[in-house]
């Protein structure tokens, strides 16, 4: 497919392309930018062009994850929080069960909502270097999560899954400060 992109800059002057005339005058000033049509060959990368260009609904499964039996991804038509949260009642019950003994405190971090299309109850953080089980506390609420390394620098913040954020009753648009524990 061919796409024509018009690049135009307004210089405040009427100008014409080199080699053509407008009103008998030729543009000889190199500082004057002239509208130019450019033809670009290649695919249209617009996200409205269909599934081939849409972000993946479910990221590639990292086989080092401790829970490869994640809930199913949300449907492509998901629009509400309930539609994006595909965890089952059993998943949620296990997540709010009392914490395991022998856990260690990793620290506190600011968390933002992770991708709602990434199913499960997880927490991506620079506080861990490998996938492990753990727990996150917020305002007296606790949830057992799969701790995943974020690859970020220490202090760079973390991401929490939609399901986990709902279980600790944190505001979905907020940046809660949470305490993180590893089993």
């Amino acid at each position: 497919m061919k796409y024509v992109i018009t690049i135009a800059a307004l210089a405040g002057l009427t100008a014409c392309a080199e080699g053509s005339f407008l009103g008998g005058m030729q543009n000889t000033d190199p500082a004057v930018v002239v509208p130019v049509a450019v033809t670009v060959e290649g695919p249209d990368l617009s996200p409205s062009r269909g599934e081939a260009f849409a972000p993946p609904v479910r990221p590639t499964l990292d086989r080092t994850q401790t829970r490869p039996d994640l809930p199913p991804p949300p449907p492509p038509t998901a629009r509400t929080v309930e539609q994006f949260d595909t965890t089952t009642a059993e998943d949620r019950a296990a997540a709010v069960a009392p914490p395991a003994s022998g856990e260690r405190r990793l620290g506190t971090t600011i968390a933002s909502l992770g991708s709602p299309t990434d199913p499960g109850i997880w927490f991506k953080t620079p506080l861990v270097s490998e996938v492990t089980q753990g727990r996150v506390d917020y305002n007296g609420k606790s949830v057992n999560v799969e701790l995943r390394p974020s690859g970020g620098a220490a202090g760079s913040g973390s991401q929490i899954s939609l399901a986990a954020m709902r279980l600790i009753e944190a505001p979905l648009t907020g940046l809660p400060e949470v305490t993180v524990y590893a089993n």
Side-chain angles (χ1 to χ4, degrees), residues 111-114 122-124 136 143 158-162 164-165 168:
S112 64
L113 178 62
W122 50 264
F123 192 77
K124 291 180 184 176
V136 174
V143 63
S158 302
Q159 291 184 339
I160 187 170
S161 71
L162 175 65
M165 198 167 226
I168 60 173

Side-chain angles (χ1 to χ4, degrees), residues 43-164:
D44 180 359
L45 298 179
S46 168
S48 64
R49 294 296 177 200
E51 290 184 29
F53 300 103
V57 170
R58 183 175 193 153
T60 304
L61 182 63
D62 179 357
R63 295 293 174 198
T64 63
Q65 291 176 350
T66 59
R67 289 216 44 227
D69 59 332
L70 293 173
T77 58
R79 297 292 178 262
T80 67
V81 171
E82 288 75 23
Q83 292 170 335
F84 277 103
D85 186 356
T86 59
T87 56
T88 64
E90 293 81 24
D91 292 332
R92 292 187 292 272
V96 295
S101 61
E103 64 184 11
R104 70 185 191 288
R105 185 177 187 274
L106 298 177
T108 59
T109 183
I110 302 295
S112 64
L113 178 62
S115 173
T117 63
D118 192 354
I121 300 172
W122 50 264
F123 192 77
K124 291 180 184 176
T125 181
L127 298 174
V128 296
S129 58
E130 62 185 18
V131 176
T132 187
Q133 291 297 311
R135 180 172 61 92
V136 174
D137 280 345
Y138 172 73
N139 281 350
K141 298 281 185 175
S142 181
V143 63
N144 297 314
V145 295
E146 179 179 78
L147 296 173
R148 300 175 181 176
S150 67
S156 63
S158 302
Q159 291 184 339
I160 187 170
S161 71
L162 175 65

